[in-house]
Amino acid sequence: MLLAERHQLILEQLNLHGRITSVELAKSLAVSEDTIRRDLNKLGELKLLHRVHGGALVMQEDSPDYFDRLNTPDPSKKRFLEPALTMLEAGQTIVIDSGETCRYLAQNLPANLPLTVVTGCPLIVQDLMQHPQIQVIQIGGKMFKPAMRTVGHSAIEMLKQIRFDIVFMGICAFHAKHGFCVNYLEEAEVLRATIEQADRTVLMGPHDKLDKTKTYQIVPAHKINHVITDEGIRQDVQTSIQKLGIELTIVPNN
Amino acid sequence: MLLAERHQLILEQLNLHGRITSVELAKSLAVSEDTIRRDLNKLGELKLLHRVHGGALVMQEDSPDYFDRLNTPDPSKKRFLEPALTMLEAGQTIVIDSGETCRYLAQNLPANLPLTVVTGCPLIVQDLMQHPQIQVIQIGGKMFKPAMRTVGHSAIEMLKQIRFDIVFMGICAFHAKHGFCVNYLEEAEVLRATIEQADRTVLMGPHDKLDKTKTYQIVPAHKINHVITDEGIRQDVQTSIQKLGIELTIVPNN
DNA sequence: CAAAAAGATGCAAGTTAATGCAAATAATAC
DNA sequence: GTATTATTTGCATTAACTTGCATCTTTTTG
């Protein structure tokens, strides 16, 4: 096995699990732990992973804290909007999930488009309060701080009584084999119930969220209808997504 | 489990609950309390949490008072807060309704008081998101823009499943004979359902809202337990309220 | 093609880090 | 005040890491 090849496999394993130990890697790749450690150190230097005692963790380019992101919006995410906006038609009922990309969508809905927007995120409700033509439905429930959204049984029961034309969500982690995933069980339950009620589910987000997994699967990949991402997407990831019959829109990187 | 991983989990737990004890962590992460304490001390050194005897609290370096960053348009309404705050006890479930006075209450809840706060107003939800000890329940439903709150059947159904220790509302219009009123039918329905579930209903607001009526009665006057208003209240209004067995707190006019 | 150079790998030895236990000390509750 | 709980400290054990070196492979070069 070539070194570069092994590095590739290490990064793949890491994306899949979010973490990896030196011992596990040595076993699965059939080389000595010393070699693995040298690999991990090298990849760590290159900022391709986060080297820690005992193994490595995935690099966390995005700040884990929602409130940090709240104050420093990243306008580059606006580029995902245009394809999303073309899907909208007057009179539709859509879901706009929580998250930065989704907030941009809420903030940039055309003023003359009458829609019913359903969301569990109070920030998005607020963004839409001034909109003249949009009826807003807030999904109730327990507020889940890390995701800035409502979760729990009440939320799911309320969702079950509405049908959606389109659901827009951020890509938290999407993998052709392991599906659409998030980090929290409670969040996964609500998102699953949401997608269940939708004619069409659209994921929007940067390419580095693709080919990743997190702890809880929301739905298998084939339940997603459309992915909007940017040019950085790898060719193999692109084909694996399209093979599933998922529509793929790639927007330029500015 | 990797050390770095454990650190991440600790921070996650902390963000989730606002507080965490060493004992709880040791149990949930299956390591000794010594290890947890070393972790907490290390994370405290890195300013990632606030280490205290017995566990840790979330860092609040960016906003020492989580409510200070909010705009304070009419500070005169703050004077109603003090009597309201004295009614609160740890562990209670309270409703904070929409409205400016109520928002002040939400923004000025003491940081060390664990409560469950139920509200239909997304602004209040947001005000409370950074509070370390408060669990927030959002009442779902159709957003009713004039009152900045959720209304409708879903909202009422959700309210029916919760019991409240205290409900805090602004005085929209209160009259000893005609009861507690508002201008919109949909709002009245929700507020009625809210009061129905409460042990105690407290109205807060300036004296000129007393002895007034509006189109829709929420409840008759005797259903209200406590009114907090200011010195301007007329003597006859005062006695008519007290005759109904309603507790009356009059705060100075600054 | 052969020899040299560079790189990759595994092993051994020594070093550092992480963890749990026990005893002593500090903080909190009653 | 005392009792209880949390914390700190030192120590022993284990796991992870680093370093140097020998071996093997690949690449370079004449």
Side-chain angles (χ1 to χ4, degrees):
Chain A
M1 174 184 299
L2 299 174
L3 178 139
E5 217 177 341
R6 196 173 57 237
H7 283 186
Q8 195 60 48
L9 287 171
I10 289 174
L11 290 174
E12 255 171 53
Q13 284 294 306
L14 196 57
N15 269 341
L16 216 51
H17 303 113
R19 63 177 288 276
I20 199 78
T21 66
S22 313
V23 180
E24 284 165 4
L25 279 174
K27 222 173 271 182
S28 80
L29 300 178
V31 289
S32 76
E33 291 180 29
D34 305 66
T35 301
I36 293 298
R37 288 193 188 101
R38 276 186 275 245
D39 290 341
L40 293 182
N41 289 342
K42 174 64 66 87
L43 292 169
E45 279 170 32
L46 297 172
K47 308 281 181 204
L48 294 172
L49 50 74
H50 180 45
R51 180 74 165 104
V52 297
H53 191 94
L57 303 173
V58 285
M59 262 295 165
Q60 282 190 319
E61 59 288 306
D62 52 344
S63 111
D65 189 8
Y66 191 91
F67 294 98
D68 292 349
R69 280 179 286 165
L70 206 62
N71 301 326
T72 55
D74 174 9
S76 73
K77 292 204 171 173
K78 277 196 179 173
R79 62 189 191 273
F80 301 118
L81 293 188
E82 209 206 307
L85 292 175
T86 63
M87 302 177 194
L88 299 176
E89 287 169 33
Q92 285 179 329
T93 297
I94 67 171
V95 171
I96 301 184
D97 195 52
S98 68
E100 204 184 341
T101 312
C102 287
R103 256 194 106 180
Y104 275 119
L105 178 59
Q107 288 164 355
N108 289 282
L109 289 174
N112 60 349
L113 187 66
L115 291 172
T116 299
V117 173
V118 179
T119 186
C121 173
L123 295 172
I124 289 185
V125 173
Q126 246 181 279
D127 291 337
L128 292 171
M129 282 319 275
Q130 303 293 332
H131 196 291
Q133 304 244 45
I134 287 182
Q135 172 170 233
V136 182
I137 308 290
Q138 158 90 47
I139 298 299
K142 189 178 81 173
M143 281 304 305
F144 183 65
K145 301 187 184 188
M148 194 62 185
R149 57 164 309 124
T150 46
V151 299
H153 183 253
S154 311
I156 291 171
E157 285 303 304
M158 186 166 169
L159 283 163
K160 278 186 183 165
Q161 294 177 13
I162 319 178
R163 286 216 28 88
F164 311 120
D165 293 303
I166 313 180
V167 169
F168 292 99
M169 291 180 177
I171 309 174
C172 183
F174 182 86
H175 191 281
K177 188 172 164 197
H178 298 95
F180 178 30
C181 302
V182 286
N183 256 338
Y184 301 97
L185 175 64
E186 289 164 300
E187 193 179 8
E189 289 169 344
V190 170
L191 296 184
R192 189 179 305 128
T194 307
I195 292 173
E196 206 60 52
Q197 300 300 111
D199 282 355
R200 214 173 153 63
T201 302
V202 179
L203 303 187
M204 305 179 291
H207 70 275
D208 61 350
K209 303 286 183 72
L210 299 168
D211 206 40
K212 283 242 167 74
T213 68
K214 303 247 170 186
T215 314
Y216 299 99
Q217 189 194 71
I218 300 163
V219 290
H222 67 83
K223 290 262 187 181
I224 303 301
N225 304 102
H226 198 137
V227 171
I228 303 174
T229 191
D230 60 64
E231 299 180 315
I233 184 173
R234 287 210 320 271
Q235 185 58 48
D236 61 318
V237 176
Q238 193 172 329
T239 51
S240 73
I241 288 175
Q242 287 170 327
K243 225 182 238 172
L244 285 161
I246 300 171
E247 202 170 328
L248 185 63
T249 303
I250 299 174
V251 298
N253 249 329
N254 286 14
Chain B
M1 173 181 300
L2 301 173
L3 178 141
E5 218 177 340
R6 197 174 56 235
H7 283 185
Q8 281 188 1
L9 287 171
I10 289 173
L11 291 173
E12 230 169 74
Q13 284 295 307
L14 194 59
N15 277 332
L16 216 50
H17 302 115
R19 60 178 289 281
I20 198 79
T21 67
S22 313
V23 180
E24 284 166 2
L25 280 174
K27 220 173 273 182
S28 81
L29 299 177
V31 290
S32 76
E33 291 179 30
D34 305 66
T35 301
I36 293 298
R37 289 192 189 101
R38 275 186 275 245
D39 289 341
L40 294 181
N41 290 342
K42 173 67 65 86
L43 292 169
E45 278 171 33
L46 297 172
K47 307 285 179 200
L48 294 172
L49 51 73
H50 181 45
R51 180 76 166 103
V52 295
H53 192 95
L57 303 173
V58 285
M59 252 306 160
Q60 286 164 328
E61 77 294 322
D62 45 359
S63 53
D65 289 325
Y66 65 98
F67 43 80
D68 274 358
R69 68 210 151 73
L70 295 157
N71 44 358
T72 52
D74 181 6
S76 74
K77 290 203 175 175
K78 274 196 179 171
R79 62 188 190 273
F80 302 117
L81 292 187
E82 208 207 308
L85 292 175
T86 63
M87 301 177 196
L88 299 175
E89 287 168 33
Q92 284 179 330
T93 298
I94 68 172
V95 171
I96 301 183
D97 196 52
S98 66
E100 206 184 339
T101 310
C102 287
R103 256 194 104 181
Y104 275 120
L105 177 59
Q107 290 164 0
N108 288 283
L109 289 174
N112 61 349
L113 185 66
L115 292 172
T116 299
V117 173
V118 180
T119 187
C121 172
L123 295 172
I124 290 186
V125 173
Q126 212 196 322
D127 291 338
L128 291 172
M129 280 320 276
Q130 297 225 52
H131 194 293
Q133 303 245 50
I134 287 182
Q135 172 171 235
V136 183
I137 308 290
Q138 159 91 48
I139 299 298
K142 189 178 79 173
M143 279 305 304
F144 183 65
K145 300 187 185 188
M148 195 61 186
R149 57 165 307 124
T150 46
V151 298
H153 184 253
S154 310
I156 291 171
E157 285 302 303
M158 187 166 168
L159 283 164
K160 278 186 184 165
Q161 294 176 14
I162 319 178
R163 286 215 29 87
F164 311 119
D165 292 304
I166 313 180
V167 169
F168 293 98
M169 290 180 176
I171 309 175
C172 183
F174 183 84
H175 191 281
K177 189 172 165 196
H178 298 98
F180 178 31
C181 302
V182 285
N183 257 336
Y184 302 97
L185 175 65
E186 287 163 301
E187 192 179 9
E189 290 169 344
V190 170
L191 296 184
R192 189 178 306 129
T194 307
I195 292 173
E196 206 59 52
Q197 300 300 111
D199 283 355
R200 214 174 153 64
T201 301
V202 179
L203 304 187
M204 305 178 292
H207 70 275
D208 60 353
K209 304 285 183 74
L210 298 168
D211 204 40
K212 286 250 165 66
T213 66
K214 302 243 172 190
T215 315
Y216 298 98
Q217 187 193 71
I218 300 162
V219 289
H222 67 84
K223 290 263 189 183
I224 303 301
N225 305 100
H226 198 139
V227 171
I228 302 173
T229 191
D230 59 64
E231 300 180 314
I233 184 172
R234 285 209 321 273
Q235 187 58 47
D236 62 316
V237 176
Q238 193 172 329
T239 50
S240 74
I241 289 176
Q242 285 169 327
K243 224 181 241 174
L244 286 161
I246 299 171
E247 201 169 329
L248 185 63
T249 302
I250 299 175
V251 298
N253 247 330
N254 284 16

